[in-house]
C-alpha cells in the first residue's frame, strides 16, 4: 500500500502504554530514498528534545477512534533512548548508539534495503544472521538523512525539466511495507493550474541541495502530458503502469533501485 507523507503528518503516536505526541516530520535516506525515521512532537513530555522513531517500531496505522500510529515501544523505552540535538545533520555515531539501544540490525551495511532484511518490522526474525559490525564512523561523519519538511510543502524544492521548471515538491509517497519512497508529488499550479504530477526518484538526474532544486531528464511537453495525480484517489497498479509507460521507464517493481546524484 502506498501512503503520502502529507496524509500522515499530525497522526498521534501511541506507545504500548499510552500516547505521547504526534508525527511532525520524516527523515529519509538520500542514497536509497527510504524513510528511516519518524520525527515526533512530544509537546511538554520531553521538551527541547527531538524524538526519532524507526519504522522497525511501527506496528500499524489505525483510523478509529482517531488517526494513530501504533508503536511496539513503551514510553519508558522512548524516554531513555539516546538523545539527539534539535538540528540536522544526524551523525552515524548517533545512529549506531540508537540501533544498539533497541537491538535492531543496522540498515546501512547490509545488502538489502534494511541491511539484512527487505522490510523493517517490530518483530525481528529469530533466525536472522548477525550482520557484520559496521566500520566505526570517522569523527564527524554524518548519515545521509534529509527532512521531508525541508523539501516538500508550500515552499518545496523546485523541479527543473530539460527546458524549464515545472513545479514544486508538495509531498512524498512511500510504500508502507518497506518505507521506500516511490514518488515525489510535483505541484504544477504555477504552470498548469490544478495539476499534480508524480516523479519517481529513479527519474531524477541529480539534486542541488544548495539551490533547493530537483533536476529530471524530461521536457515540458512530456511532463504536461503525463497522467495527472489526484491525492483523493488511491494509486492503483494500472495507474502506475500507465505512468511508467508514458515516461518510457521500467517500473520500480521490475528492477533494482538506482542511486540519485546530488551535490
Amino acid at each position: 500500500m502506498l501512503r503520502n507523507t502529507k496524509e500522515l503528518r499530525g497522526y498521534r503516536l501511541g506507545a504500548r502504554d499510552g500516547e505521547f505526541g504526534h508525527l511532525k516530520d520524516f527523515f529519509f535516506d538520500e542514497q536509497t530514498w527510504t524513510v528511516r525515521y519518524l520525527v515526533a512532537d512530544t509537546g511538554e513530555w520531553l521538551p527541547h528534545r527531538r524524538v526519532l522513531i524507526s519504522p522497525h517500531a511501527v506496528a500499524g496505522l489505525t483510523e478509529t477512534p482517531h488517526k494513530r500510529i501504533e508503536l511496539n515501544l513503551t514510553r519508558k523505552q522512548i524516554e531513555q533512548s539516546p538523545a539527539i540535538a534539535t538540528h540536522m545533520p544526524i551523525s552515524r555515531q548517533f545512529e549506531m548508539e540508537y540501533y544498539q539501544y533497541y537491538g535492531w540490525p543496522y540498515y546501512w551495511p547490509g545488502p538489502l534495503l534494511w541491511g539484512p532484511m527487505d522490510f523493517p518490522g517490530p518483530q525481528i526474525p529469530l533466525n536472522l544472521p548477525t550482520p557484520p559490525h559496521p566500520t566505526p564512523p570517522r569523527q564527524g561523519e554524518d548519515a545521509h538523512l534529509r527532512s521531508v519538511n525541508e523539501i516538500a510543502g508550500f515552499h518545496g524544492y523546485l523541479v527543473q525539466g530539460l527546458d524549464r521548471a515545472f513545479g514544486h515538491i508538495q509531498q512524498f509517497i512511500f510504500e508502507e511495507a518497506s518505507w521506500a519512497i516511490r514518488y515525489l508529488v510535483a505541484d504544477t499550479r504555477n504552470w498548469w493550474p490544478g495539476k499534480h504530477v508524480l516523479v519517481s526518484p529513479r527519474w531524477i538526474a541529480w539534486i542541488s541541495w544548495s539551490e533547493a532544486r530537483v533536476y529530471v531528464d524530461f521536457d515540458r511537453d512530456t511532463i504536461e502530458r503525463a497522467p495527472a495525480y489526484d491525492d483523493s484517489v488511491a494509486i492503483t497498479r494500472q495507474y502506475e503502469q500507465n505512468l511508467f509507460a508514458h515516461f518510457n521507464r521500467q517500473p520500480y517493481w521490475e528492477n533494482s533501485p538506482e542511486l540519485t546524484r546530488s551535490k
Side-chain angles (χ1 to χ4, degrees), residues 55-256:
H56 277 300
V58 177
L61 282 69
T62 60
E63 303 294 327
T64 57
H66 51 251
K67 295 179 177 180
R68 183 164 115 157
I69 299 174
E70 304 289 350
L71 303 175
N72 192 33
L73 299 173
T74 64
R75 289 166 58 95
K76 184 176 182 180
Q77 280 180 297
I78 296 168
E79 185 176 12
Q80 295 182 348
S81 65
I84 188 171
T86 57
H87 60 278
M88 291 285 269
I90 294 174
S91 71
R92 186 65 83 196
Q93 182 63 47
F94 166 81
E95 286 199 291
M96 289 181 66
E97 293 173 2
Y98 179 91
Y99 271 75
Q100 288 168 4
Y101 170 79
Y102 282 113
W104 294 324
Y106 304 116
Y107 68 81
W108 54 92
L112 304 177
L113 195 60
W114 287 91
M117 303 182 297
D118 288 310
F119 307 101
Q123 301 298 326
I124 305 299
L126 295 178
N127 61 350
L128 188 68
T130 302
H133 197 284
T135 303
R138 296 185 297 273
Q139 183 69 30
E141 181 180 1
D142 298 326
H144 299 274
L145 300 175
R146 297 280 177 175
S147 161
V148 167
N149 286 353
E150 170 197 353
I151 296 169
F154 185 76
H155 298 292
Y157 276 33
L158 191 68
V159 187
Q160 173 72 49
L162 291 174
D163 48 359
R164 62 170 295 177
F166 63 85
H168 291 87
I169 301 301
Q170 185 185 65
Q171 57 186 289
F172 286 24
I173 295 176
F174 66 91
E175 191 175 67
E176 186 175 334
S178 65
W179 294 78
I181 295 169
R182 296 307 184 191
Y183 302 104
L184 289 71
V185 181
D187 181 352
T188 67
R189 73 179 69 181
N190 294 331
W191 292 265
W192 310 299
K195 184 170 183 178
H196 293 79
V197 177
L198 297 187
V199 176
S200 168
R202 298 180 177 205
W203 307 339
I204 298 174
W206 61 287
I207 299 174
S208 174
W209 304 110
S210 60
E211 296 177 325
R213 191 172 295 236
V214 176
Y215 292 83
V216 296
D217 290 331
F218 299 114
D219 58 25
R220 171 193 171 97
D221 182 62
T222 302
I223 296 294
E224 190 171 9
R225 291 186 291 104
Y229 167 67
D230 182 351
D231 62 8
S232 68
V233 179
I235 297 175
T236 65
R237 183 48 56 90
Q238 183 60 58
Y239 171 86
E240 290 187 283
Q241 289 173 337
N242 293 340
L243 184 72
F244 279 85
H246 172 77
F247 286 106
N248 194 28
R249 297 296 174 90
Q250 190 171 10
Y252 62 82
W253 56 88
E254 293 183 1
N255 62 358
S256 59

Side-chain angles (χ1 to χ4, degrees), residues 21-67:
H22 65 269
L23 179 60
K24 181 180 181 180
D25 195 3
F26 302 84
F27 289 160
F28 72 96
D29 180 346
E30 69 179 64
Q31 294 187 320
T32 63
W33 286 89
T34 305
V35 173
R36 297 301 184 186
Y37 299 101
L38 289 71
V39 184
D41 182 341
T42 63
E44 297 180 358
W45 178 45
L46 299 174
H48 312 300
R49 177 178 167 186
R50 184 172 55 184
V51 173
L52 301 185
I53 304 294
S54 167
H56 277 300
V58 177
L61 282 69
T62 60
E63 303 294 327
T64 57
H66 51 251
K67 295 179 177 180

